[in-house]
Structures are given as structure tokens and as C-alpha cells.
Amino acid sequence: MASQFIIPTSYGYVLATATLSTVLSFYHSTLTGTYRKKSGVPYPNAYASAEECANSLAKYQFNCAQRAHANFSDWHPSFLVQLLVAGLAFPQWSAGLGVAWCVARLMYARGYVREKQDGGKGRYSGIWWYIPHLGLMGMAGVSAWRMVMG
């Protein structure tokens, strides 16, 4: 038995937010590449060693940019799934939470690479990305539940 659902008119906001998150992904790649060039860490090395970072702010910042990018890449797929599914039932709320997630992830990356060697504590300025992420997770669950239950 086939089921049908209607894509809300305001689902465009959800798609725009998904697109924004891919721009943020590109930003992460650019940030990491910029700090790689400054630090002189050659390919294929993923990171500078702890000893190198202790003696070089540029290498420390490269490692931080690389970690921020890796963390973003870890969470981006689940964010997109939750955003797109939640948006079927809650398009405006999903888009709003998605934009908040993107802002927090930008703050996370920018804070991580700041010029202070403090163990990456600058990322805490954007650690609140978990809040919209959890909100989207809950709304995606409700959206899926509604579709399953009819």
C-alpha cells in the first residue's frame, strides 16, 4: 500500500538551510587548508605532532582547524537527515533550528582556532550546537512517527 505526503510550501526554507550547511562545510575545508599552508604541515599528514604544536602556534591552529572540520564532518550527515525529515512536519522550526546549528558550528570552528593554546577551549563558544541538534532529532522522530501512524 502506497502512502503519500505533501511537501509543505515552506519546505524551501529547509532546503535553503541544508544548502547553507554545505557552504559551512566548504568554509571548514578552506579554514583547514589556510592553516595547513600557514603551518607547513605537508600532505598526507593529517596533524602536526604534539611536540611540533608546543613550539608553533601555526601548527597548533592547524590541528585545531583540522579537529573542528573532522567534528563537523562527523555530525553533518545526521544533521542533514534530521533537518530534512523534521522539515516535512515542522518546516519553519526546522529551518530556524538548522540556522542556529550552522551559527553555532561556525562559532565552534572560529573559537577552536583562536590564537591561544588552551587545549581547544575556544570551541566552547559554539558548543551549544547540541541544543538545535537535539531539537531536530526530536522533531524528526515526531515527523517520522506521524508518517508511520498515518
Side-chain angles (χ1 to χ4, degrees):
M1 178 174 175
S3 64
Q4 80 180 39
F5 62 92
I6 297 170
I7 296 175
T9 310
S10 53
Y11 197 74
Y13 294 117
V14 175
L15 297 177
T17 304
T19 303
L20 174 65
S21 76
T22 65
V23 172
L24 183 57
S25 180
F26 181 78
Y27 171 78
H28 271 275
S29 297
T30 303
L31 186 69
T32 303
T34 299
Y35 281 103
R36 179 182 289 278
K37 188 173 182 178
K38 282 183 184 178
S39 69
V41 175
Y43 285 105
N45 298 337
Y47 294 97
S49 70
E51 295 80 27
E52 290 176 303
C53 290
N55 297 319
S56 170
L57 176 62
K59 290 182 181 188
Y60 172 81
Q61 287 178 304
F62 166 68
N63 279 9
C64 290
Q66 188 78 310
R67 276 301 312 134
H69 186 201
N71 186 274
F72 176 86
S73 296
D74 288 345
W75 288 97
H76 192 216
S78 67
F79 163 76
L80 286 172
V81 169
Q82 292 165 9
L83 175 71
L84 296 173
V85 172
L88 293 170
F90 311 99
Q92 291 159 330
W93 276 100
S94 298
L97 286 175
V99 168
W101 187 89
C102 290
V103 168
R105 293 308 308 210
L106 179 63
M107 292 172 67
Y108 184 93
R110 295 300 311 155
Y112 216 153
V113 298
R114 68 184 182 172
E115 293 186 5
K116 187 174 183 184
Q117 292 185 327
D118 59 358
K121 290 182 181 158
R123 71 188 188 280
Y124 295 155
S125 64
I127 200 72
W128 57 273
W129 66 266
Y130 282 105
I131 297 168
H133 199 92
L134 290 171
L136 286 167
M137 188 182 300
M139 290 191 314
V142 169
S143 181
W145 178 260
R146 286 181 180 177
M147 290 184 82
V148 168
M149 300 310 288

